[in-house]
Amino acid sequence: MEDSSYTGLPTSHLLGSVPAVITEENNTTKHVATDASVHVFPPNNGDRGTGYQTVGRPTESFEQQPANNWRGVFSISSYSQYFDVDTDVVLIRLISSLNPVAGDFFSKIDANPDLYGLIWISTTLVFVLAALGNLATFLMQKHADNSTSWSFDVSYMNVAACSIYGYAIVVPLAYYFFLQYMGSNASLIRFWCMWGYSLTIFIMSSFLLIIPVEFLRWVIILLTGVASASFVALNLRSYIEGNELSVAIIAAFFLQIALAIFIKVWFFP
């Protein structure tokens, strides 16, 4: 009897309420899925710095991101891209700077010119000239007078810093503005990179200039100047075009020779 009593209960109102509940849940579920921010992992590697891509987010927003990372002159992050080099890349460029007749340095740095070489090669040369210049002067004085005592001349450091940093920064900057004025293709970062690496050979030759033989010193510094000048001139010739710009290439050659003579006269007298 109990089974029959339960069976006899009216259930029409119960059956009608179940679809209503299901419909409400479906509507709620659809509403949440539409407005939720679902992230796709991993981020889109084709566009750096865009972060996670949201489903339903228009792809045009990624394509409209700026291509460069320049954030202003006084922002450190603007220059980080010019220091994104590893040891192998720097070594390859150092070796290339010691081959003055190749003339293909710009093709090697075209994808990623760096300022790392400009800063550290110049800084190394400053300290090398100050230290070895004092040592060479002492050896020459000791050779002439055995009673000479060692003394460090601080002015060598000041002159080295002003001359090397000034040359490595101002000369490429002047060439950049000159070539822009002449309507030729020019890149300041590439010029700074090339002139920075052109100073590598002066670091190596400075260790030979401590030999207390004046004639041998002049031979070493002149060969060094010619090698560095040839590296700069031949790469400039491969980079710029036009017969009217040949004067600029010749001037770059003699500027490197003048730097070599200045190093000899001031630091290794």
Side-chain angles (χ1 to χ4, degrees):
M1 292 181 63
E2 294 179 356
D3 295 336
S4 61
S5 63
Y6 287 112
T7 306
L9 292 174
T11 58
S12 60
H13 68 284
L14 296 176
L15 293 176
S17 63
V18 173
V21 174
I22 296 175
T23 304
E24 183 178 357
E25 291 178 356
N26 289 338
N27 292 336
T28 305
T29 304
K30 292 180 181 180
H31 177 73
V32 173
T34 303
D35 295 339
S37 295
V38 182
H39 296 293
V40 177
F41 185 85
N44 186 5
N45 294 328
D47 190 1
R48 295 183 178 179
T50 56
Y52 295 94
Q53 183 176 356
T54 303
V55 175
R57 184 180 178 183
T59 57
E60 289 79 10
S61 62
F62 293 96
E63 297 176 356
Q64 294 175 359
Q65 295 292 332
N68 55 27
N69 296 324
W70 187 257
R71 303 180 186 276
V73 177
F74 300 103
S75 176
I76 298 178
S77 60
S78 300
Y79 306 96
S80 60
Q81 57 184 320
Y82 302 120
F83 294 87
D84 187 18
V85 288
D86 54 21
T87 305
D88 295 334
V89 173
V90 173
L91 287 177
I92 291 174
R93 295 178 180 184
L94 288 173
I95 296 173
S96 299
S97 67
L98 300 177
N99 184 14
V101 297
D104 59 347
F105 187 78
F106 281 113
S107 63
K108 294 181 179 180
I109 67 172
D110 185 61
N112 185 25
D114 68 278
L115 296 179
Y116 183 89
L118 172 70
I119 293 177
W120 288 110
I121 293 174
S122 301
T123 303
T124 304
L125 182 58
V126 167
F127 283 98
V128 166
L129 290 178
L132 297 184
N134 275 280
L135 178 59
T137 302
F138 169 74
L139 291 178
M140 290 294 290
Q141 294 176 354
K142 192 73 173 179
H143 182 73
D145 185 4
N146 196 29
S147 62
T148 302
S149 59
W150 166 262
S151 63
F152 187 86
D153 190 354
V154 183
S155 64
Y156 277 57
M157 178 68 72
N158 299 330
V159 175
C162 293
S163 58
I164 299 302
Y165 287 134
Y167 183 87
I169 294 176
V170 173
V171 171
L173 187 64
Y175 264 82
Y176 169 75
F177 285 115
F178 174 75
L179 293 178
Q180 288 281 2
Y181 175 76
M182 297 297 295
S184 179
N185 185 23
S187 172
L188 180 58
I189 299 298
R190 287 172 173 79
F191 284 174
W192 270 336
C193 182
M194 182 195 67
W195 256 284
Y197 281 96
S198 71
L199 302 177
T200 304
I201 194 170
F202 288 104
I203 299 175
M204 303 174 64
S205 64
S206 296
F207 289 91
L208 298 176
L209 292 176
I210 62 176
I211 301 174
V213 179
E214 187 66 12
F215 174 76
L216 184 59
R217 285 180 173 181
W218 275 108
V219 172
I220 293 172
I221 198 61
L222 289 178
L223 290 177
T224 302
V226 170
S228 180
S230 300
F231 170 77
V232 171
L234 292 177
N235 281 284
L236 274 180
R237 188 182 67 177
S238 65
Y239 187 76
I240 61 178
E241 298 178 355
N243 295 328
E244 68 278 2
L245 298 176
S246 59
V247 177
I249 298 174
I250 297 174
F253 181 90
F254 284 102
L255 281 174
Q256 292 292 112
I257 296 293
L259 176 64
I261 295 176
F262 172 80
I263 290 175
K264 168 62 183 71
V265 172
W266 185 269
F267 300 99
F268 303 94

